[in-house]
Amino acid sequence: MKFDEVKEELLRNKKTWLVTGVAGFIGSNLAEALLKLNQKVIGLDNFSTGYQHNIEDIKNNVTSQQWRSFSFTEGDIKDYETCYEITKGVDIILHQAALGSVPRSINDPITSNLSNVTGFLNMLTAAKNNGVKRFVYASSSSVYGDSMELPKVEERTGNLLSPYAVTKMTNELYGGVFYKTYGLETIGIRYFNVFGKRQNPNGAYAAVIPKWLSSLINNEDVFINGDGETSRDFTYIENVIQSNILCGTTTTKEAYGEVFNGGIGGRLTLNKLYSSISRELKENLENFVTKEPVYREFRAGDIRHSNANIDKLKKATQYEPTHDIDMGLHESIKWYIENLKQVSE
């Protein structure tokens, strides 16, 4: 497997990686994985949606020697000087910092644009000015908009349905231009409903899997938007770690300036997801009682179906997902049962 070869190579050769949004769900998992490969990791976060306890959790999961290769700066990508200082001496950037959530962007498009477009451009420009070699960034499956085609193919998108989708499409346009104009090796990954440990279950913009897990573990009602037949390509965090590291290290020049689907190439309806979660919890929690979900209105700006064609990413990087949704749910549920109090604080 290509990823195993890359990990062996990284263990032999230390590089300097910058992970923005490092106190968040995806960023903290990326930083932990890199530290375990004995890499030097610089982290940046402003704690707008990230948490100090995620940083502490990284520390608890790596050796003391690996932890010494981590440095953290509290700062905001909306400030160019912060971006410029943090990118000095960096080999590879994994840019995760953003304000996520379609509903959040609909409620407050200006703030989403400041982080996701202005902040993104600041990071790109700082990377270019400091001679950073590789810039891997998080895009989103929301850029497919109202396209009915399944599975989703990178070159064919529909009409955008939310300000959040506009910001991510803008990132992709800037990424392509910065490669063509300045030679910065940009690669975008369109995330498809990522889930796993450390994903926050609280707040109005919480993702569906941690929110449902928290509600069911606490015997609270679970709400499904629409009829439950909406489907998603739920992608476990380990697959996202693999795609980022492969994109960060690939020598395939055809990948530069491009964007790739980062999913597993399948899809599950919300109704089936609810059944799977309930079944897993019943097997792992004593006295767990299955309850019926509560259905409510469809959510504004939501895509009806999402399913990634991952052939392009496979061809460019030899990406091969290691965890299907059932494996990911099994690992996630074990983690949430043990850590729900911590992640909810």
Side-chain angles (χ1 to χ4, degrees):
M1 185 177 179
K2 178 65 174 178
F3 189 39
D4 292 330
E5 295 174 19
V6 169
K7 287 190 288 187
E8 287 297 322
E9 177 63 24
L10 288 174
L11 285 167
R12 291 190 296 268
N13 295 288
K14 193 173 210 175
K15 294 181 181 296
T16 299
W17 302 66
L18 168 61
V19 179
T20 66
V22 75
F25 155 51
I26 296 177
S28 64
N29 276 282
L30 288 171
E32 180 185 325
L34 290 167
L35 289 171
K36 286 178 175 177
L37 293 170
N38 297 332
Q39 300 297 288
K40 180 180 179 182
V41 179
I42 300 167
L44 177 69
D45 208 294
N46 68 352
F47 293 112
S48 61
T49 58
Y51 297 91
Q52 180 62 41
H53 62 67
N54 285 340
I55 304 292
E56 295 301 317
D57 205 37
I58 297 172
K59 182 179 181 181
N60 294 334
N61 282 287
V62 300
T63 67
S64 57
Q65 184 175 351
Q66 289 167 339
W67 180 246
R68 284 194 290 272
S69 292
F70 178 73
S71 61
F72 174 75
T73 296
E74 183 175 350
D76 199 317
I77 59 171
K78 295 193 293 290
D79 177 64
Y80 175 74
E81 287 305 315
T82 297
C83 298
Y84 183 76
E85 289 301 317
I86 204 76
T87 51
K88 288 180 177 177
V90 169
D91 298 311
I92 304 159
I93 294 172
L94 301 182
H95 180 61
Q96 312 301 309
L99 273 181
S101 169
V102 165
R104 190 203 311 266
S105 75
I106 290 173
N107 293 334
D108 185 3
I110 290 175
T111 302
S112 288
N113 191 82
L114 282 171
S115 287
N116 299 1
V117 178
T118 302
F120 183 82
L121 182 56
N122 283 341
M123 283 298 305
L124 274 179
T125 305
K128 182 260 293 182
N129 289 343
N130 276 318
V132 175
K133 180 177 175 59
R134 185 71 50 83
F135 189 102
V136 180
Y137 63 92
S139 186
S140 165
S141 58
S142 66
V143 301
Y144 287 106
D146 64 2
S147 169
M148 302 296 288
E149 181 179 357
L150 290 173
K152 306 294 186 186
V153 177
E154 287 87 346
E155 287 69 31
R156 296 192 290 277
T157 57
N159 296 305
L160 303 179
L161 298 175
S162 68
Y164 176 71
V166 171
T167 68
K168 289 300 181 180
M169 180 60 81
T170 304
N171 289 176
E172 295 183 5
L173 293 171
Y174 267 127
V177 164
F178 265 65
Y179 174 60
K180 292 182 181 72
T181 307
Y182 307 111
L184 177 62
E185 295 171 0
T186 60
I187 301 177
I189 305 174
R190 289 176 183 164
Y191 291 157
F192 280 71
N193 295 86
V194 186
F195 72 98
K197 69 177 185 179
R198 300 197 192 111
Q199 194 170 24
N200 183 27
N202 299 317
Y205 306 119
V208 62
I209 289 178
K211 194 174 185 70
W212 284 4
L213 282 172
S214 175
S215 296
L216 287 168
I217 290 170
N218 291 312
N219 197 30
E220 299 166 350
D221 284 339
V222 166
F223 297 95
I224 294 181
N225 297 318
D227 58 7
E229 290 307 298
T230 295
S231 66
R232 293 289 182 265
D233 190 331
F234 292 103
T235 306
Y236 187 54
I237 187 63
E238 290 296 326
N239 299 318
V240 173
I241 290 168
Q242 181 191 162
S243 64
N244 271 272
I245 293 176
L246 288 175
C247 286
T249 56
T250 185
T251 55
T252 303
K253 291 183 178 179
E254 290 76 16
Y256 307 155
E258 290 293 318
V259 63
F260 299 90
N261 288 337
I264 59 168
R267 64 187 174 105
L268 196 69
T269 66
L270 296 179
N271 285 327
K272 289 182 178 177
L273 173 67
Y274 185 79
S275 296
S276 295
I277 290 175
S278 297
R279 185 175 63 251
E280 277 283 339
L281 286 173
K282 196 173 183 66
E283 292 174 3
N284 286 277
L285 275 181
E286 287 185 30
N287 305 319
F288 176 77
V289 178
T290 305
K291 59 192 301 183
E292 291 298 311
V294 178
Y295 292 88
R296 57 188 182 186
E297 293 297 310
F298 283 97
R299 198 170 65 169
D302 264 358
I303 293 172
R304 181 60 162 159
H305 298 293
S306 187
N307 174 205
N309 181 316
I310 56 176
D311 290 347
K312 185 179 176 184
L313 183 61
K314 284 184 171 184
K315 183 178 179 182
T317 69
Q318 297 182 51
Y319 166 74
E320 199 62 52
T322 54
H323 291 67
D324 63 20
I325 186 167
D326 289 330
M327 293 168 65
L329 279 177
H330 182 71
E331 291 190 12
S332 297
I333 285 170
K334 284 196 302 182
W335 189 88
Y336 275 95
I337 289 171
E338 295 171 5
N339 296 276
L340 188 58
K341 183 177 185 299
Q342 171 193 304
V343 82
S344 297
E345 289 174 348

